[in-house]
Amino acid sequence: MAAQKGMTIGILTGGGDCPGLNPVIRAVVRKAEKEGIKVLGIRNGWKGMIENDTFELNLDSVSGILPKGGTILGTSRTNPYKKEGAVDKVRENYKKMGLYALVATGGEDTLGVASKLVKDGVGNFVGVPKTIDNDLACTDYTFGFDTAVNIAMECIDRLHTTAESHHRILVAEVMGRHAGWIAVEAGIAGGADYILMPEEATDLDEVCESIKHRHARGKTFSIIVVAEGAQLKNQDITKDKSLDEFGHVKLGGIGDYVAKEIEKRTGFETRVSVFGHIQRGGSPTAFDRILGTRFGVKAVELIMQKKFGRMVALSGNAIIDVPLEDAVKALKTVDKEWFDLARVFFG
Ligand code: F6P
């Protein structure tokens, strides 16, 4: 592998933050330093490319960041393709920054932009997949997901003791707009009595029947996990129809609605707990630190091999690379096998 000493590469983090971003940044800088490559940190995702907002990253700036959640680069949900003249600004600033290549770290939105910029000949981009939602295609897991699942599982464990003491139904609302990965994995790990997912519309009467069945066998409490994007049969409860720059509606409210309906239809006292951004904050698990580290090192290797327009990915236990455009074509949603597994424990 021919090292290109003296060249400068950039790195940005876009979209929702997630535990494991700092390990990626650290790994990129550490690997680059070994190869004699300079690294520029781009602030706040694509916004920093539009505004030429950068700072130099070196061994000192990444020292101690491995266990830290969030991203030292900052992030935003800025889409240059939705702002007049912004793509030209990215092209201009890419040149001004003297970049040989840029590591774009993000989910389907951030990497979707990187993929378009490659096609539009703006520069040399490689992608690193990140999202607590685990819904990015072409990779078995994204970092951030394992931390989110563990946090949600711990919260569900805590709900159990209070639900049991008060003989209540507790509805736990977890993140996951279009994919129910957090709901299904945290639900199975936490022993949920029902899980409502975005992938398949749920009939609330069936949920209530299942709860009644459980209570008929002597149980006096239940835990119901609801993904924030869960679909209900014959119901659309999205409160706020306004869209962000990537066309996402603001979710929120499904847990509350489900809790009220369960109480009304079963007569059992019900409460809701919305886990929200707690799932995205704080220190990454060992799994996410290691995955982020492996992804960061591989991203620099891809650049050195001139493999642009590629995304690093996890396949089994191997770090591979895949075409960026394939990864952003369609979301990876939860398949039937997971639903079937979860259902064994309902009722
Ligand atoms: O994409 C990650 C995610 O955490 C989703 O699970 C969630 O729907 C969304 O971000 C929340 O976004 P924001 O932080 O902008 O409210």
Side-chain angles (χ1 to χ4, degrees):
M1 183 191 301
Q4 319 225 2
K5 288 198 189 302
M7 72 186 183
T8 300
I9 63 171
I11 177 166
L12 63 79
T13 54
D17 73 324
C18 97
L21 284 168
N22 284 328
V24 173
I25 299 163
R26 171 179 173 269
V28 165
V29 173
R30 295 292 296 263
K31 173 68 179 163
E33 197 266 346
K34 283 266 186 302
E35 304 294 345
I37 297 168
K38 289 190 206 125
V39 185
L40 263 191
I42 319 293
R43 287 196 181 89
N44 305 320
W46 295 114
K47 189 164 186 277
M49 282 305 292
I50 298 167
E51 296 174 357
N52 196 4
D53 189 1
T54 67
F55 64 106
E56 199 188 310
L57 288 171
N58 53 36
L59 294 187
D60 281 345
S61 40
V62 297
S63 171
I65 69 171
L66 180 63
K68 277 184 77 177
T71 160
I72 61 162
L73 299 178
T75 187
S76 72
R77 294 194 191 276
T78 306
N79 184 350
Y81 284 92
K82 286 286 155 70
K83 290 187 190 301
E84 180 91 32
V87 173
D88 290 337
K89 274 277 164 209
V90 171
R91 192 190 298 272
E92 192 183 312
N93 288 331
Y94 182 93
K95 287 205 184 100
K96 270 192 198 155
M97 292 172 198
L99 295 184
Y100 174 72
L102 177 74
V103 179
T105 312
E108 46 137 358
D109 298 333
T110 305
L111 299 185
V113 169
S115 177
K116 279 191 196 157
L117 291 171
V118 170
K119 279 190 204 134
D120 293 342
V122 173
N124 300 328
F125 296 88
V126 298
V128 174
K130 155 255 59 150
T131 167
I132 65 158
D133 296 340
N134 196 38
D135 57 2
L136 209 71
C138 301
T139 183
D140 288 350
Y141 282 101
T142 50
F143 61 85
F145 173 67
D146 184 65
T147 307
V149 167
N150 275 287
I151 293 169
M153 178 194 71
E154 195 197 323
C155 293
I156 293 169
D157 287 349
R158 286 169 190 276
L159 290 186
H160 263 97
T161 56
T162 174
E164 190 167 8
S165 305
H166 284 266
H167 318 292
R168 284 174 173 158
I169 314 294
L170 264 155
V171 172
E173 183 184 306
V174 300
M175 278 188 170
R177 269 198 264 247
H178 309 290
W181 288 108
I182 298 178
V184 78
E185 291 209 16
I188 290 170
D193 301 304
Y194 214 103
I195 306 172
L196 283 73
M197 311 273 286
E199 285 86 351
E200 198 180 274
T202 303
D203 183 342
L204 272 182
D205 282 333
E206 271 171 33
V207 179
C208 294
E209 278 316 307
S210 178
I211 293 171
K212 284 187 201 155
H213 178 261
R214 180 176 147 80
H215 287 226
R217 65 176 174 88
K219 290 290 177 190
T220 62
F221 71 96
S222 291
I223 305 289
I224 310 300
V225 174
V226 183
E228 63 180 338
Q231 298 300 310
L232 297 177
K233 279 197 180 141
N234 314 316
Q235 282 288 341
D236 176 9
I237 65 113
T238 315
K239 274 185 197 160
D240 184 345
K241 301 279 179 198
S242 61
L243 302 179
D244 70 12
E245 283 182 25
F246 287 97
H248 304 300
V249 286
K250 279 195 199 112
L251 294 171
I254 181 93
D256 200 36
Y257 177 83
V258 167
K260 286 196 178 106
E261 284 300 309
I262 289 176
E263 186 166 279
K264 199 162 82 188
R265 297 183 200 191
T266 64
F268 299 131
E269 191 180 17
T270 307
R271 294 283 191 275
V272 61
S273 180
V274 180
F275 300 168
H277 291 80
I278 302 227
Q279 295 158 99
R280 244 168 56 187
S283 195
T285 56
F287 181 88
D288 285 338
R289 292 181 199 192
I290 293 165
L291 188 58
T293 298
R294 293 177 82 194
F295 278 173
V297 169
K298 178 77 173 179
V300 176
E301 285 171 1
L302 289 186
I303 290 173
M304 295 178 73
Q305 293 160 353
K306 298 187 165 56
K307 286 176 95 176
F308 305 122
R310 312 282 298 177
M311 182 187 86
V312 302
L314 181 69
S315 172
N317 195 27
I319 304 294
I320 58 162
D321 57 279
V322 297
L324 249 181
E325 61 175 334
D326 289 357
V328 298
K329 252 182 221 155
L331 284 178
K332 181 184 69 185
T333 50
V334 178
D335 39 50
K336 192 176 169 301
E337 186 194 322
W338 283 97
F339 281 90
D340 293 344
L341 176 64
R343 270 196 200 103
V344 172
F345 304 92
F346 295 172

